[in-house]
Amino acid sequence: MKISHFTIALLHSPRFILMLGVFAAYFFGWMFSEIAEEIWIEKEIFPLDQITSAWMADGQHPLGQQLFSALTMLGSFKWLAILALAVAGLLIYKKLRLESIILLGGFALTAISIMLIKFLSDRTRPYSNLSLLENTMSFPSGHMAHSLFVYGFLAYLLSRCVRNRMHSLWIMISGVGLAGMIGISRLYLNVHWLSDVLAGFTLAAAYLCLCIAYLESARHNNNEALPNKII
């Protein structure tokens, strides 16, 4: 019983939650740095990138292109910026100012990071009819990074409205899954290399872990329930 009480107390400790989030962010940040070092610094070419790109190019189908083109629009910067602003407005209306600040701040940090890294990396995209229409560099995938942060953060907020832990977990999985499907759409349309998508995922995951850990530690520190009033 003493161990059980200690474990419960530890899991509800603001410092432990924050440390856990920092550790997760460090892990994803380390993964991103490993990918970036090979591509950005050493200019390595991953065989798996070329294999995946060739496979996607050979497997193109008109119906698949239509479906994944529609899906990839859910990861566009303009749409996600509008969605983030709308949700932030709702959070402010519900007197959840900290959550709105973290949402907009994290999204802005993700967007600025992607923009700077794209400019500095100068990596060309795989060759396809659709990639020729893109006017930014390939590394890392902005669609993947922006989608994971916004949909992951929204899933986290919605999960706090649900008391059932399994339902809460499924909401989080759905948010991350939607972002993952958007990343897959970028591969299917052959506008990104596999390593671009993985880099976008790990970078956004690092920021997302930090933001969620900070909000969770603040919530437990204040003994308040987060957004039970969002909807």
Side-chain angles (χ1 to χ4, degrees), residues 14 55 60 62 64-65 95 98 106 126 143 182-183 208 228 230:
W55 182 37
Q60 293 292 310
Q65 287 184 338
K95 302 186 186 305
L98 180 59
H143 276 68
I182 292 171
L208 184 62
N228 290 331
I230 292 181

Side-chain angles (χ1 to χ4, degrees), residues 3 22 26-27 82 100 228:
I3 297 176
V22 170
Y26 175 82
F27 172 75
I82 293 171
S100 67
N228 290 331

Side-chain angles (χ1 to χ4, degrees), residues 79-81 83-84 87 103 107 110 145-156 175 204 208:
W79 158 246
L80 291 172
L83 179 61
V87 173
L103 169 59
F107 180 67
T110 303
H146 300 144
S147 297
L148 180 62
F149 184 84
V150 173
Y151 292 126
F153 194 88
L154 297 186
Y156 161 71
L208 184 62

Side-chain angles (χ1 to χ4, degrees), residues 85-97 100-101 104:
L85 287 170
V87 173
L90 176 61
L91 291 170
I92 292 173
Y93 176 75
K94 295 294 185 178
K95 302 186 186 305
L96 296 168
R97 292 181 179 84
S100 67
I101 292 172
L104 294 180

